Amino acid sequence: MYEGRAYDLEERTIRFAKAVLDYAKVYPHRGSEHLLMQLTRAATSVAANYMEACVAESLKDFRHKCCLSAKEAKESWFWLRMTVPAGDAKGKALTMEALELTKIFAATKRTCDQRALTKS
């Protein structure tokens, strides 16, 4: 899903949020409006929390914002699992991206924890 030349997590989270918003616009609602609202809130929160992490006041603040991004990415993954019909390639790609973002932010948290330990 990510097609950037250089690795840019900020751009990647924005692309994910926009892709989910686009997906929600064309998804056949059929009584699942609440699920789609939850999905779009979580997906846009991944990017919003990462934007805040990029201007964090400390390592602890950065770690906290990345943890929030991880939680929102995991929640996005859940809502995508609940809404994406079998055989939907675009939905499957979004689901995989949500899982990858979850893993990236979890790894970032671990790195922050390691750095905090080495400083103490």
Side-chain angles (χ1 to χ4, degrees):
M1 177 177 170
Y2 180 69
E3 300 170 7
R5 282 176 221 106
Y7 186 81
D8 184 346
L9 189 54
E10 182 176 311
E11 184 62 28
R12 187 171 176 173
T13 59
I14 291 170
R15 285 184 187 192
F16 173 69
K18 286 181 176 182
V20 168
L21 290 171
D22 289 343
Y23 182 78
K25 287 178 191 173
V26 298
Y27 184 83
H29 295 250
R30 297 187 205 128
S32 59
E33 293 86 2
H34 175 72
L35 298 178
L36 291 173
M37 184 173 47
Q38 293 289 97
L39 168 60
T40 57
R41 284 181 177 178
T44 55
S45 238
V46 174
N49 281 301
Y50 185 64
M51 297 304 119
E52 288 188 35
C54 291
V55 292
E57 297 174 4
S58 64
L59 179 62
K60 183 178 178 181
D61 188 29
F62 176 79
R63 180 191 178 280
H64 175 69
K65 300 299 186 204
C66 285
C67 286
L68 291 175
S69 288
K71 290 165 98 175
E72 296 296 339
K74 186 69 171 193
E75 184 177 340
S76 298
W77 174 83
F78 170 77
W79 292 118
L80 284 161
R81 297 274 321 264
M82 295 297 291
T83 58
V84 172
D88 182 340
K90 175 135 177 119
K92 175 116 171 123
L94 288 171
T95 304
M96 294 307 298
E97 180 68 356
L99 188 56
E100 286 183 29
L101 288 170
T102 302
K103 291 177 181 179
I104 289 167
F105 287 113
T108 302
K109 175 199 171 290
R110 285 191 302 273
T111 300
C112 289
D113 290 346
Q114 291 169 350
R115 286 188 181 167
L117 285 174
T118 59
K119 288 186 177 187
S120 47

